[in-house]
Amino acid sequence: VIWTGLAMSPAIAAAFPVAISSLGGQQSARTIHFFVSLFLLLFFLVHVGIVALAGFRNRMRAMTIGN
């Protein structure tokens, strides 16, 4: 995600044109960045939902003091 974000930046693209060419062009970098960012957001939301369903207080207590 960081590499594709940097590849979309005009300043980085001018300084390091290999950043764009290694991803297949600027539009490919945008597409990859969009889908990977969407996947990370969904991953985060699912895991927050799992913790909420399991009981936030119980999970935090188990992780911190081992009960």
Side-chain angles (χ1 to χ4, degrees), residues 1-2 10 17-19 26-27 31 33 36 39 41-42 48 50 57 59 62-63:
V1 173
I2 294 170
V18 71
Q26 195 165 14
Q27 187 59 44
T31 303
H33 188 80
V36 172
F39 173 75
L41 177 65
L42 290 173
V48 167
I50 290 170
R57 186 170 294 185
R59 294 293 103 204
M63 286 191 292

Side-chain angles (χ1 to χ4, degrees), residues 50-60:
I50 290 170
V51 170
L53 288 174
F56 180 77
R57 186 170 294 185
N58 292 336
R59 294 293 103 204
M60 291 297 111

Side-chain angles (χ1 to χ4, degrees), residues 10 15 21 37 51 54 56 61:
S21 62
S37 297
V51 170
F56 180 77
R61 185 174 54 233

